[in-house]
Coordinates of all heavy atoms in Angstrom, one line a residue:
S114 N 132.2 94.0 95.1 CA 132.5 92.6 94.9 C 132.2 92.1 93.4 O 131.3 91.6 93.1 CB 131.6 91.7 95.8 OG 131.8 90.3 95.6
Y115 N 133.2 92.6 92.6 CA 133.0 92.5 91.1 C 134.3 91.6 90.8 O 135.4 91.9 91.2 CB 133.0 93.7 90.3 CG 131.7 94.4 90.2 CD1 131.0 94.8 91.4 CD2 131.2 94.6 89.0 CE1 129.7 95.4 91.3 CE2 130.0 95.4 88.9 CZ 129.2 95.7 89.9 OH 128.1 96.4 89.9
H116 N 134.0 90.5 90.0 CA 135.2 89.6 89.7 C 135.3 89.6 88.2 O 134.3 89.0 87.5 CB 134.9 88.3 90.4 CG 134.7 88.4 91.8 ND1 135.6 88.3 92.8 CD2 133.5 88.8 92.5 CE1 135.2 88.5 94.1 NE2 133.8 88.7 94.0
F117 N 136.4 89.7 87.6 CA 136.7 89.6 86.3 C 137.2 88.3 85.8 O 138.3 88.0 86.3 CB 137.5 90.9 85.7 CG 136.7 92.1 85.7 CD1 136.3 92.6 87.0 CD2 136.4 92.8 84.7 CE1 135.6 93.8 87.0 CE2 135.7 94.0 84.6 CZ 135.3 94.6 85.9
V118 N 136.5 87.4 85.1 CA 136.9 86.1 84.8 C 136.9 85.8 83.4 O 136.1 86.2 82.5 CB 135.9 85.1 85.6 CG1 136.3 83.6 85.3 CG2 135.9 85.3 87.0
D119 N 138.1 85.2 82.9 CA 138.3 84.9 81.4 C 137.6 83.5 81.1 O 138.2 82.5 81.6 CB 139.8 85.0 81.1 CG 140.1 84.7 79.7 OD1 139.1 84.6 78.9 OD2 141.2 84.8 79.3
G120 N 136.6 83.5 80.3 CA 136.0 82.3 79.9 C 134.6 82.1 80.7 O 134.5 82.3 81.9
V121 N 133.6 81.4 79.9 CA 132.3 81.3 80.5 C 132.3 80.2 81.5 O 131.5 80.4 82.6 CB 131.3 81.1 79.4 CG1 131.2 82.4 78.5 CG2 131.5 79.8 78.7
A122 N 132.9 79.2 81.4 CA 132.8 78.1 82.4 C 133.4 78.5 83.7 O 132.8 78.3 84.9 CB 133.5 76.8 81.9
A123 N 134.6 79.3 83.7 CA 135.2 79.7 84.8 C 134.3 80.9 85.6 O 134.2 80.8 86.8 CB 136.6 80.2 84.6
A124 N 133.7 81.6 84.7 CA 132.7 82.6 85.2 C 131.5 82.1 86.0 O 131.2 82.5 87.1 CB 132.2 83.5 84.1
I125 N 130.9 81.1 85.4 CA 129.9 80.3 86.2 C 130.4 79.7 87.4 O 129.6 79.7 88.5 CB 129.1 79.4 85.2 CG1 128.4 80.2 84.1 CG2 128.1 78.4 85.9 CD1 127.4 81.2 84.6
D126 N 131.4 79.0 87.4 CA 132.0 78.4 88.6 C 132.1 79.4 89.6 O 131.8 79.2 90.8 CB 133.4 77.8 88.2 CG 133.2 76.5 87.5 OD1 132.1 75.8 87.5 OD2 134.3 75.9 86.9
K127 N 132.7 80.5 89.3 CA 133.0 81.7 90.3 C 131.7 82.2 90.8 O 131.5 82.3 92.0 CB 133.8 82.8 89.7 CG 134.1 83.8 90.7 CD 135.0 83.4 91.7 CE 135.5 84.5 92.8 NZ 136.2 84.0 93.8
A128 N 130.7 82.4 89.9 CA 129.4 82.9 90.3 C 128.7 82.0 91.1 O 128.0 82.5 92.1 CB 128.6 83.3 89.0
R129 N 128.7 80.7 90.9 CA 128.0 79.7 91.7 C 128.8 79.7 93.2 O 128.0 79.6 94.3 CB 128.1 78.4 91.2 CG 127.1 78.1 90.2 CD 127.2 76.8 89.5 NE 126.0 76.4 88.8 CZ 126.0 75.5 87.8 NH1 127.1 75.0 87.3 NH2 124.8 75.1 87.2
E130 N 130.0 79.8 93.2 CA 130.7 79.9 94.4 C 130.3 81.0 95.3 O 130.0 80.9 96.6 CB 132.2 79.9 94.3 CG 133.1 80.1 95.4 CD 134.5 80.5 95.1 OE1 135.0 80.1 94.0 OE2 135.2 81.3 95.8
L131 N 130.1 82.2 94.6 CA 129.8 83.4 95.5 C 128.3 83.4 95.8 O 127.8 83.8 96.8 CB 130.0 84.6 94.6 CG 131.4 85.0 94.3 CD1 131.5 86.0 93.1 CD2 132.2 85.5 95.4
A132 N 127.3 82.8 94.9 CA 125.9 82.8 95.1 C 125.5 81.8 96.1 O 124.5 82.0 96.8 CB 125.2 82.5 94.0
G133 N 126.2 80.7 96.3 CA 125.8 79.7 97.3 C 124.6 79.1 96.8 O 124.4 78.5 95.7
E134 N 123.4 79.0 97.7 CA 122.3 78.4 97.3 C 121.4 79.5 96.5 O 120.3 79.0 96.0 CB 121.5 78.0 98.5 CG 122.2 76.8 99.3 CD 122.4 75.7 98.4 OE1 121.4 75.2 97.6 OE2 123.4 75.0 98.3
R135 N 121.7 80.7 96.3 CA 120.9 81.5 95.6 C 121.2 81.4 94.1 O 121.9 80.8 93.6 CB 121.3 83.1 96.1 CG 121.0 83.2 97.6 CD 121.3 84.5 98.1 NE 120.5 85.5 97.6 CZ 120.6 86.8 97.8 NH1 121.8 87.3 98.3 NH2 119.7 87.8 97.5
V136 N 120.4 82.3 93.4 CA 120.3 82.3 92.0 C 121.6 83.0 91.3 O 121.9 84.0 91.7 CB 119.1 82.8 91.5 CG1 119.1 83.1 89.9 CG2 117.8 81.8 91.7
V137 N 122.1 82.4 90.3 CA 123.0 83.0 89.5 C 122.2 83.6 88.3 O 121.6 83.0 87.4 CB 124.2 82.0 88.9 CG1 125.1 82.9 87.8 CG2 125.0 81.7 90.0
A138 N 122.2 85.0 88.0 CA 121.5 85.5 87.0 C 122.4 85.9 85.9 O 123.3 86.8 86.1 CB 120.6 86.8 87.6
V139 N 122.3 85.3 84.7 CA 123.1 85.6 83.6 C 122.4 86.6 82.6 O 121.2 86.3 82.3 CB 123.4 84.4 82.9 CG1 124.2 84.7 81.6 CG2 124.2 83.4 83.8
N140 N 123.0 87.8 82.3 CA 122.4 88.7 81.4 C 122.5 88.0 80.1 O 123.5 87.5 79.7 CB 123.3 90.0 81.5 CG 122.9 91.0 82.8 OD1 123.6 91.1 83.5 ND2 121.7 91.5 82.6
A141 N 121.3 88.3 79.5 CA 121.3 87.8 78.0 C 122.2 88.7 77.2 O 122.6 89.6 77.5 CB 119.8 87.8 77.5
G142 N 122.4 88.3 75.9 CA 123.3 88.8 75.0 C 124.4 87.8 74.6 O 124.3 86.7 74.8
E143 N 125.6 88.4 74.1 CA 126.6 87.5 73.5 C 127.2 86.6 74.6 O 127.4 85.4 74.5 CB 127.7 88.3 72.9 CG 127.3 89.0 71.7 CD 126.9 88.0 70.5 OE1 127.4 86.8 70.6 OE2 126.2 88.4 69.7
A144 N 127.4 87.2 75.9 CA 128.0 86.3 77.0 C 127.1 85.3 77.4 O 127.4 84.1 77.5 CB 128.4 87.2 78.1
G145 N 125.7 85.7 77.6 CA 124.7 84.8 77.9 C 124.6 83.7 76.9 O 124.3 82.5 77.3
A146 N 124.4 84.0 75.7 CA 124.4 82.9 74.7 C 125.6 82.0 74.7 O 125.4 80.7 74.4 CB 124.4 83.6 73.3
Q147 N 126.8 82.2 74.9 CA 127.9 81.5 75.0 C 127.7 80.5 76.3 O 128.1 79.3 76.1 CB 129.2 82.3 75.3 CG 129.6 83.1 74.1 CD 130.8 83.9 74.3 OE1 131.7 83.5 75.0 NE2 131.0 85.1 73.6
I148 N 127.3 81.1 77.4 CA 127.0 80.3 78.5 C 125.9 79.2 78.3 O 125.9 78.0 78.7 CB 126.7 81.1 79.9 CG1 127.9 82.1 80.2 CG2 126.1 80.4 81.0 CD1 127.5 83.2 81.1
L149 N 124.8 79.7 77.5 CA 123.7 78.8 77.3 C 124.2 77.7 76.3 O 124.0 76.4 76.5 CB 122.6 79.5 76.6 CG 121.4 78.6 76.0 CD1 120.7 77.8 77.1 CD2 120.5 79.5 75.2
A150 N 125.1 78.0 75.4 CA 125.6 77.1 74.3 C 126.6 76.1 74.9 O 126.5 74.9 74.5 CB 126.3 77.8 73.1
A151 N 127.2 76.5 76.1 CA 128.0 75.6 76.8 C 127.3 74.6 77.8 O 128.0 73.9 78.4 CB 129.1 76.4 77.6
G152 N 126.0 74.7 77.8 CA 125.3 73.9 78.6 C 125.2 74.2 80.1 O 124.9 73.4 80.9
L153 N 125.4 75.6 80.4 CA 125.6 75.9 81.8 C 124.3 76.6 82.3 O 124.3 77.2 83.4 CB 126.8 76.8 81.9 CG 128.1 76.1 81.7 CD1 129.2 77.1 81.5 CD2 128.5 74.8 82.6
V154 N 123.3 76.9 81.4 CA 122.1 77.6 81.9 C 121.0 76.5 82.2 O 120.7 75.7 81.5 CB 121.6 78.6 80.8 CG1 120.2 79.1 81.1 CG2 122.7 79.7 80.6
D155 N 120.3 76.8 83.4 CA 119.2 75.9 83.8 C 117.9 76.4 83.3 O 116.9 75.6 83.0 CB 119.1 75.8 85.3 CG 120.5 75.2 85.9 OD1 121.0 74.2 85.5 OD2 121.1 75.9 86.8
E156 N 117.7 77.6 83.3 CA 116.5 78.3 82.9 C 116.7 79.5 82.1 O 117.6 80.2 82.3 CB 115.5 78.8 84.2 CG 115.1 77.5 84.9 CD 114.2 78.0 86.0 OE1 113.5 79.0 85.9 OE2 114.1 77.2 87.1
V157 N 115.6 79.8 81.2 CA 115.7 81.0 80.3 C 114.4 81.9 80.9 O 113.2 81.4 80.9 CB 115.6 80.7 78.9 CG1 115.3 82.0 78.1 CG2 116.9 80.1 78.4
A158 N 114.7 83.0 81.3 CA 113.6 84.0 81.6 C 113.6 85.2 80.8 O 114.6 85.8 80.6 CB 113.9 84.3 83.2
M159 N 112.4 85.5 80.3 CA 112.2 86.6 79.4 C 111.0 87.5 79.8 O 110.1 87.0 80.2 CB 111.9 86.1 78.0 CG 112.8 85.1 77.5 SD 112.3 84.5 75.9 CE 113.2 85.7 74.8
D160 N 111.4 88.8 80.0 CA 110.2 89.8 80.1 C 109.9 90.4 78.8 O 110.7 91.3 78.4 CB 110.7 90.9 81.2 CG 111.0 90.3 82.6 OD1 110.2 89.3 83.0 OD2 112.1 90.6 83.3
V161 N 109.0 89.9 78.1 CA 108.6 90.4 76.7 C 107.9 91.6 76.7 O 106.8 91.6 77.2 CB 108.0 89.2 76.0 CG1 107.7 89.6 74.5 CG2 108.8 87.9 76.1
V162 N 108.3 92.5 76.0 CA 107.6 93.9 75.8 C 107.2 94.0 74.5 O 107.8 93.7 73.6 CB 108.7 95.0 76.3 CG1 108.1 96.4 76.0 CG2 109.1 94.9 77.8
P163 N 105.9 94.5 74.4 CA 105.3 94.7 73.0 C 105.8 95.9 72.3 O 105.1 97.0 72.1 CB 103.8 94.9 73.4 CG 103.7 95.5 74.8 CD 104.9 95.0 75.4
V164 N 107.0 95.7 71.8 CA 107.7 96.6 70.9 C 108.5 95.9 69.9 O 109.0 94.7 70.3 CB 108.6 97.6 71.7 CG1 109.6 97.0 72.5 CG2 109.1 98.7 70.8
V165 N 108.7 96.3 68.7 CA 109.5 95.7 67.7 C 110.8 96.7 67.4 O 110.5 97.7 67.0 CB 108.7 95.5 66.3 CG1 109.5 94.9 65.3 CG2 107.6 94.5 66.6
F166 N 111.8 96.1 67.6 CA 113.0 96.9 67.3 C 113.5 96.9 65.9 O 114.1 97.8 65.4 CB 114.2 96.4 68.2 CG 114.3 97.2 69.6 CD1 113.2 97.6 70.2 CD2 115.5 97.4 70.2 CE1 113.1 98.3 71.4 CE2 115.6 98.1 71.3 CZ 114.4 98.6 72.0
G167 N 113.4 95.6 65.3 CA 113.8 95.5 63.8 C 115.2 95.1 63.7 O 115.7 94.4 62.8
S168 N 116.1 95.6 64.7 CA 117.5 95.3 64.7 C 118.2 95.8 66.0 O 117.5 96.3 66.8 CB 118.4 96.0 63.5 OG 118.2 97.5 63.8
G169 N 119.4 95.2 66.3 CA 120.0 95.6 67.4 C 120.7 94.4 68.1 O 121.2 93.5 67.4
R170 N 120.8 94.4 69.4 CA 121.5 93.2 70.1 C 120.6 92.2 70.5 O 119.5 92.5 71.3 CB 122.2 94.0 71.3 CG 123.1 95.0 70.9 CD 124.1 95.4 72.0 NE 124.9 96.6 71.6 CZ 125.8 97.2 72.4 NH1 126.0 96.8 73.7 NH2 126.6 98.0 72.0
R171 N 120.8 91.0 70.1 CA 119.8 89.8 70.3 C 119.9 89.2 71.5 O 121.1 89.2 72.2 CB 120.0 88.8 69.1 CG 119.8 89.2 67.8 CD 119.9 88.1 66.8 NE 119.4 88.6 65.5 CZ 118.2 88.7 65.1 NH1 117.2 88.4 65.8 NH2 117.9 89.1 63.8
Y172 N 118.7 88.9 72.1 CA 118.7 88.1 73.3 C 119.6 87.0 73.4 O 120.4 86.8 74.3 CB 117.3 87.7 73.8 CG 117.0 87.0 75.1 CD1 116.5 87.7 76.1 CD2 117.4 85.7 75.2 CE1 116.3 87.0 77.3 CE2 117.3 85.0 76.4 CZ 116.7 85.8 77.5 OH 116.5 85.1 78.7
F173 N 119.5 86.2 72.3 CA 120.4 85.1 72.2 C 121.8 85.3 71.4 O 122.4 84.4 71.0 CB 119.6 83.8 71.6 CG 118.7 83.3 72.5 CD1 117.3 83.7 72.3 CD2 118.9 82.5 73.6 CE1 116.2 83.1 73.0 CE2 117.9 82.1 74.5 CZ 116.5 82.3 74.2
G174 N 122.2 86.6 71.4 CA 123.4 86.9 70.7 C 123.6 86.2 69.3 O 122.5 86.1 68.5
G175 N 124.7 85.8 69.0 CA 124.9 85.0 67.8 C 125.0 83.4 67.9 O 125.7 82.8 67.3
I176 N 124.1 82.9 68.8 CA 124.2 81.6 69.2 C 123.9 80.7 68.0 O 123.2 80.9 67.1 CB 123.1 81.2 70.3 CG1 123.3 79.8 70.9 CG2 121.8 81.2 69.6 CD1 122.5 79.6 72.1
A177 N 124.7 79.6 68.0 CA 124.6 78.6 66.9 C 123.9 77.4 67.3 O 124.1 77.0 68.5 CB 125.9 78.3 66.3
G178 N 123.2 76.6 66.4 CA 122.6 75.4 66.6 C 121.3 75.6 67.3 O 120.8 76.7 67.6
Q179 N 120.8 74.4 67.5 CA 119.3 74.3 68.1 C 119.5 74.1 69.6 O 120.3 73.1 70.0 CB 118.6 73.4 67.4 CG 117.1 73.2 67.7 CD 116.2 72.3 67.0 OE1 116.3 71.0 67.3 NE2 115.7 72.7 65.8
H180 N 118.7 74.8 70.4 CA 118.7 74.6 71.9 C 117.2 74.4 72.3 O 116.4 75.4 72.1 CB 119.4 75.6 72.6 CG 120.9 75.8 72.1 ND1 121.9 75.1 72.7 CD2 121.4 76.5 71.2 CE1 123.0 75.5 72.1 NE2 122.7 76.3 71.2
L181 N 116.8 73.3 72.8 CA 115.5 73.1 73.2 C 115.2 73.3 74.6 O 116.1 73.3 75.5 CB 115.1 71.6 73.1 CG 115.0 71.1 71.5 CD1 114.7 69.5 71.5 CD2 114.1 71.9 70.6
L182 N 113.9 74.2 74.8 CA 113.5 74.5 76.0 C 112.2 73.7 76.4 O 111.5 73.3 75.5 CB 113.2 75.9 76.2 CG 114.3 76.9 75.7 CD1 113.8 78.4 75.7 CD2 115.6 76.9 76.4
E183 N 111.9 73.6 77.6 CA 110.6 73.1 78.0 C 109.5 74.1 77.8 O 109.8 75.2 77.7 CB 110.7 72.5 79.5 CG 111.8 71.5 79.7 CD 111.5 70.0 79.0 OE1 110.4 70.0 78.5 OE2 112.4 69.2 79.1

Side-chain angles (χ1 to χ4, degrees):
S114 181
Y115 278 58
H116 307 265
F117 288 65
V118 178
D119 186 359
V121 295
I125 292 299
D126 284 346
K127 183 64 176 179
R129 281 178 160 152
E130 174 193 327
L131 293 166
E134 296 300 314
R135 300 178 75 193
V136 165
V137 172
V139 176
N140 282 108
E143 291 298 337
Q147 292 174 33
I148 294 167
L149 176 64
L153 300 171
V154 171
D155 300 310
E156 294 186 23
V157 170
M159 311 175 87
D160 298 319
V161 184
V162 174
V164 60
V165 175
F166 269 35
S168 65
R170 300 185 181 182
R171 294 188 175 279
Y172 182 100
F173 292 105
I176 198 168
Q179 188 179 83
H180 302 269
L181 295 178
L182 309 177
E183 301 293 351

